[in-house]
């Protein structure tokens, strides 16, 4: 890792790296694995994850009630050091029996446990979350590109931060606006969040610890274990959203 890259992480061309690899072909998600709370691995309940007009969509038109069916769609290959990128926008779907905080809220999980190790009644994977939010229409700031930590912890501004979520410095975006989100990860050292090309959050040393995740296999949750790699997943927690241009670049 070069000093130049640390000084300006968005200039990833300064590091030795491979070309961009598309993780979504606009037709199917055969290279991905679904896991929903209350359901077995591979059960895409009510076709929540689907492809619509070439975009990967979280869609709730097949639901009567949400009933805490927190879901995640995992890419089948783990990664350690990389630049991950996608574009997202929310839809006008929201399950009213979902918790209030899920409104115009989604996320990208990374350094996650393998979906095959997630128990049927486990709600969230042990992972780090690049949280995606949109404004609530009340004129109040609601940044996107935040960090949340289900079953994990990070070092922020030089110390372990006890908060479950750490806000970024991003602007607030309308729910139906396409937003570009980039995640730069250097194993278990540095993590950088970018929104529309601007660096909005940095933290270090992602590791297992803390709370929030529930009903996991206790053998998986090794508190203090540094997270050098893991799976990437797209979240579904009651709010409709769609994604496009999902790709990754491996960082040497």
């Amino acid at each position: 890792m070069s000093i130049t890259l640390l000084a300006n992480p968005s200039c990833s061309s300064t590091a030795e790296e491979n070309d961009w690899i598309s993780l979504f072909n606009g037709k199917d998600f055969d290279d991905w694995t679904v896991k929903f709370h209350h359901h077995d691995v591979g059960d895409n309940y009510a076709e929540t994850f689907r492809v619509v007009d070439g975009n990967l969509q979280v869609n709730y038109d097949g639901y009567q009630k949400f009933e805490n069916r927190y879901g995640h769609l995992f890419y089948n290959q783990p990664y350690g050091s990389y630049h991950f990128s996608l574009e997202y926008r929310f839809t006008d779907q929201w399950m009213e029996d979902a918790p209030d905080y899920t409104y115009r809220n989604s996320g990208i999980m990374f350094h996650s446990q393998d979906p095959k190790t997630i128990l049927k009644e486990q709600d969230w994977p042990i992972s780090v979350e690049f949280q995606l939010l949109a404004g609530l229409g009340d004129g109040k700031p609601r940044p996107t590109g935040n960090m949340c930590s289900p079953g994990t912890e990070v070092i922020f501004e030089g110390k372990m931060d006890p908060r479950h979520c750490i806000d970024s410095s991003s602007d607030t975006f309308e729910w139906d606006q396409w937003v570009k989100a980039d995640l730069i990860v250097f194993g278990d050292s540095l993590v950088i969040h970018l929104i529309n090309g601007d660096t909005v959050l940095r933290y270090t040393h992602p590791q297992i610890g803390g709370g929030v995740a529930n009903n996991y296999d206790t053998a998986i949750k090794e508190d203090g274990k540094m997270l050098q790699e893991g799976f990437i997943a797209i979240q579904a927690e009651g709010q409709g959203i769609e994604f496009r241009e999902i790709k990754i670049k491996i960082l040497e």
Side-chain angles (χ1 to χ4, degrees), residues 68-232:
N68 293 329
R69 287 190 177 91
Y70 302 108
H72 299 84
L73 179 66
F74 296 82
Y75 193 71
N76 288 339
Q77 178 177 334
Y79 292 99
S81 294
Y82 54 88
H83 181 169
F84 177 80
S85 181
L86 55 66
E87 296 178 10
Y88 73 91
R89 70 176 176 186
F90 292 97
T91 69
D92 59 0
Q93 286 184 328
W94 180 62
M95 298 301 296
E96 293 186 358
D97 67 315
D100 290 346
Y101 70 82
T102 65
Y103 185 56
R104 296 178 182 173
N105 181 344
S106 188
I108 304 159
M109 323 307 283
F110 66 98
H111 275 1
S112 172
Q113 67 182 107
D114 187 327
K116 297 183 181 65
T117 68
I118 299 175
L119 301 183
K120 185 174 182 178
E121 293 303 321
Q122 182 176 340
D123 45 12
W124 289 283
I126 296 171
S127 57
V128 186
E129 179 185 354
F130 185 126
Q131 186 188 50
L132 308 176
L133 301 176
L136 299 176
D138 56 7
K140 296 180 180 180
R142 198 175 191 229
T144 188
N146 308 315
M147 188 289 305
C148 295
S149 54
T152 55
E153 297 176 302
V154 302
I155 302 296
F156 178 64
E157 295 183 341
K159 61 183 179 180
M160 185 74 72
D161 197 300
R163 293 174 291 177
H164 170 52
C165 294
I166 301 173
D167 284 350
S168 81
S169 61
S170 85
D171 294 333
T172 301
F173 297 92
E174 297 301 321
W175 66 272
D176 57 351
Q177 179 178 353
W178 281 106
V179 179
K180 187 173 188 291
D182 288 85
L183 174 67
I184 299 176
V185 181
F186 295 104
D188 62 359
S189 57
L190 177 65
V191 180
I192 304 164
H193 295 194
L194 299 96
I195 295 295
N196 285 346
D198 294 328
T199 297
V200 296
L201 186 63
R202 290 171 177 253
Y203 51 91
T204 63
H205 300 90
Q207 58 195 273
I208 296 177
V212 180
N214 299 288
N215 301 320
Y216 48 78
D217 180 350
T218 56
I220 298 294
K221 194 171 185 293
E222 302 177 53
D223 288 0
K225 180 180 179 181
M226 304 303 295
L227 292 171
Q228 298 180 343
E229 67 172 15
F231 291 82
I232 298 171

